[in-house]
Amino acid sequence: MRVDRAVVDTNVLISAALRSSGSPRRVVETIRDNNASLLFSDDTFVELQTRIRRPKFDRYVSENLRDEYLLQLLVASEWVSITGSRLGCRDPDDDRILETALMGEADCLVTGDRDLLDMSGFRGIPSLTPTAFLHETVDRPGAH
């Protein structure tokens, strides 16, 4: 599977920031290394900003390093506009992620969220776990 445009859920991005190894980190690195676009809307980036700055993460990574990570994402990502449409996700807060994927014409959505995974294939956009994304884009022969 070729991925030129992807939406990565907040929880995956936070996991990538907090651990220097593992599937979430490899997802972000794969997107970057393949010059693919990481898609955000204002709503999804604000969600990431507010959650990653929670004090409970201080014991894993300093606030300064988390801010640096946000800055790196900010300059290396593409923004799309969303309207706050209701798209039918069980968790209405996840509709913003689906809408970002739709408006950004994403090739996939990477998430560990069961509500979003259950909507895989929504309007042609597969929802993949980080492990499945890596299998489809990196580990599969000829995937590059």
Side-chain angles (χ1 to χ4, degrees):
M1 165 188 230
R2 180 169 172 83
V3 174
D4 293 316
R5 304 168 69 75
V7 172
V8 179
D9 193 10
T10 300
N11 291 331
V12 175
L13 290 169
I14 289 173
S15 293
L18 300 180
R19 295 192 56 215
S20 61
S21 63
S23 296
R25 176 63 70 98
R26 284 185 60 211
V27 165
V28 173
E29 290 171 351
T30 298
I31 291 169
R32 182 197 62 219
D33 292 348
N34 291 311
N35 294 316
S37 293
L38 180 60
L39 302 170
F40 283 103
S41 63
D42 287 342
D43 289 356
T44 59
F45 196 78
V46 166
E47 177 183 77
L48 175 61
Q49 274 183 308
T50 56
R51 290 192 179 166
I52 203 168
R53 288 185 173 143
R54 289 180 176 167
K56 70 180 181 178
F57 298 126
D58 289 349
R59 66 185 188 155
Y60 301 104
V61 177
S62 73
E63 187 174 347
N64 286 342
L65 285 177
R66 285 178 279 155
D67 284 342
E68 185 177 311
Y69 175 74
L70 287 171
L71 184 59
Q72 289 171 356
L73 290 177
L74 182 69
V75 298
S77 299
E78 185 177 327
W79 255 249
V80 298
S81 295
I82 64 172
T83 61
S85 296
R86 296 283 308 165
L87 299 174
C89 193
R90 279 188 304 251
D91 179 351
D93 289 339
D94 288 337
D95 283 334
R96 74 183 100 199
I97 295 174
L98 283 177
E99 188 177 7
T100 300
L102 286 171
M103 299 307 291
E105 299 178 358
D107 297 307
C108 67
L109 165 61
V110 183
T111 184
D113 185 312
R114 179 54 47 202
D115 292 331
L116 290 168
L117 289 168
D118 286 348
M119 294 194 71
S120 186
F122 180 76
R123 298 195 188 167
I125 301 171
S127 296
L128 304 168
T129 64
T131 301
F133 171 85
L134 293 168
H135 175 72
E136 292 292 324
T137 60
V138 177
D139 300 333
R140 176 170 276 183
H144 304 281

